[in-house]
Amino acid sequence: MEGPRKPGRSPTNRSLERGAELLRAFRPGSATLGNTELAERSGLSKSTVSRLTQTLVRSGLLQFDGNSRAYRLAPAVLSLAHAMRTGSRVLQLAAPRMRALAEAKRINVGLAAPDRDEMVYLESIRYARRAALRHVVSGQRVPMELTSLGRAYLATLTEAELKPLLETFKQRRGRNWPALAREIGEAGNSVRARGYCAAAWQPEVVAVATPLRIGHDIYALNVSTSTSDPLAATAKTLAGPLLALAAEIREAVEDDAFAP
């Protein structure tokens, strides 16, 4: 049985939130999901999922596959993503500057934003030698607690904002959590002292990230490269271009805001 509605929330708002949870359940590798899988991923009852999927189909956000008796995201979802990208002035100003750095240094450059306990790439320009890393694309999610992007973002949060996220990471990582907690703490100290943090959560890949605060929004900007060199030495080399790019993007956004 589902719990009681929280005070102040109308049924319409609650239904919208639950519908959004179903859409979030779709990830790469999950092209189609049935009601049972959607219920497991969203934590909603099967009866609620059944009602919501019918509504989402009628709304054009889901399609029903009669052969598999499951649902897939409809083309309208892609159009919403396209509208978000083309409507973001930050992306319009950041992307050409990111590409210029990536081409000049032959490195990867990415811009991401937080979504709950993950980071979502808004722009990704790849020059990695390793084929697996060349397929990081806009919309891709990465773990907040493992990546330089996520740790740079975490460094900007207040203690009250950070606490529930750390609890989520602790539950997810189990016995690996003490070591990860130390790394997150060290990354936060690095951001506050030097403006950036580094991580190597994939073999022979070093990534350096810095928070990018634009108005009330907080993004994370990173650069990365495939290398067998030590983390600290590579991070020191990448940090200068990264911080210069972040400053350039901030200045461009500020100038744009005051443009006639």
Side-chain angles (χ1 to χ4, degrees):
M1 179 180 295
E2 297 172 34
R5 295 190 181 98
K6 293 182 180 180
R9 289 188 175 181
S10 69
T12 301
N13 288 340
R14 189 64 171 156
S15 295
L16 181 59
E17 290 175 357
R18 289 170 171 171
E21 288 301 316
L22 295 192
L23 296 177
R24 286 175 184 272
F26 290 88
R27 299 293 180 95
S30 303
T32 59
L33 296 172
N35 282 341
T36 298
E37 294 167 303
L38 287 168
E40 291 173 352
R41 295 189 180 200
S42 66
L44 300 173
S45 69
K46 289 184 180 180
S47 59
T48 298
V49 168
S50 180
R51 290 195 302 271
L52 290 173
T53 50
Q54 293 176 41
T55 300
L56 290 168
V57 168
R58 289 195 300 269
S59 300
L61 297 176
L62 288 183
Q63 292 178 331
F64 182 67
D65 186 327
N67 292 327
S68 62
R69 306 294 298 173
Y71 300 88
R72 64 167 57 89
L73 293 175
V77 177
L78 182 58
S79 73
L80 294 175
H82 178 67
M84 180 271 160
R85 281 179 54 80
T86 58
S88 171
R89 191 60 181 153
V90 172
L91 276 178
Q92 292 171 18
L93 294 169
R97 293 166 172 81
M98 293 168 61
R99 184 169 297 281
L101 176 62
E103 292 176 347
K105 299 292 185 179
R106 309 300 291 181
I107 57 178
N108 308 315
V109 183
L111 180 67
D115 182 36
R116 296 189 175 177
D117 57 351
E118 297 176 304
M119 300 299 289
V120 178
Y121 271 98
L122 304 179
E123 185 63 87
S124 176
I125 301 167
R126 319 302 292 180
Y127 279 92
R129 294 190 298 273
R130 292 177 57 191
L133 297 180
R134 290 199 294 268
H135 298 291
V136 177
V137 297
S138 300
Q140 185 164 331
R141 295 173 177 270
V142 293
M144 186 176 284
E145 70 273 27
L146 298 181
T147 58
S148 65
L149 286 168
R151 293 173 182 180
Y153 167 72
L154 291 172
T156 69
L157 301 182
T158 65
E159 184 176 350
E161 294 168 332
L162 185 60
K163 185 176 180 180
L165 284 169
L166 294 180
E167 185 59 34
T168 297
F169 303 150
K170 180 178 180 180
Q171 294 177 6
R172 182 158 62 209
R173 298 300 172 180
R175 61 184 180 182
N176 294 325
W177 172 240
L180 278 174
R182 286 193 296 272
E183 291 178 7
I184 291 172
E186 291 168 358
N189 292 335
S190 179
V191 169
R192 287 183 283 273
R194 293 180 284 274
Y196 68 89
C197 64
W201 73 293
Q202 294 180 332
E204 296 190 352
V205 177
V206 173
V208 183
T210 186
L212 184 63
R213 189 183 294 274
I214 305 291
H216 297 294
D217 298 319
I218 302 174
Y219 304 88
L221 183 71
N222 83 339
V223 296
S224 64
T225 188
S226 302
T227 180
S228 57
D229 293 341
L231 172 66
T234 304
K236 188 174 181 180
T237 299
L238 295 176
L242 170 69
L243 296 176
L245 174 62
E248 186 179 352
I249 294 172
R250 288 192 194 96
E251 183 178 355
V253 174
E254 289 173 1
D255 290 346
D256 182 72
F258 291 103

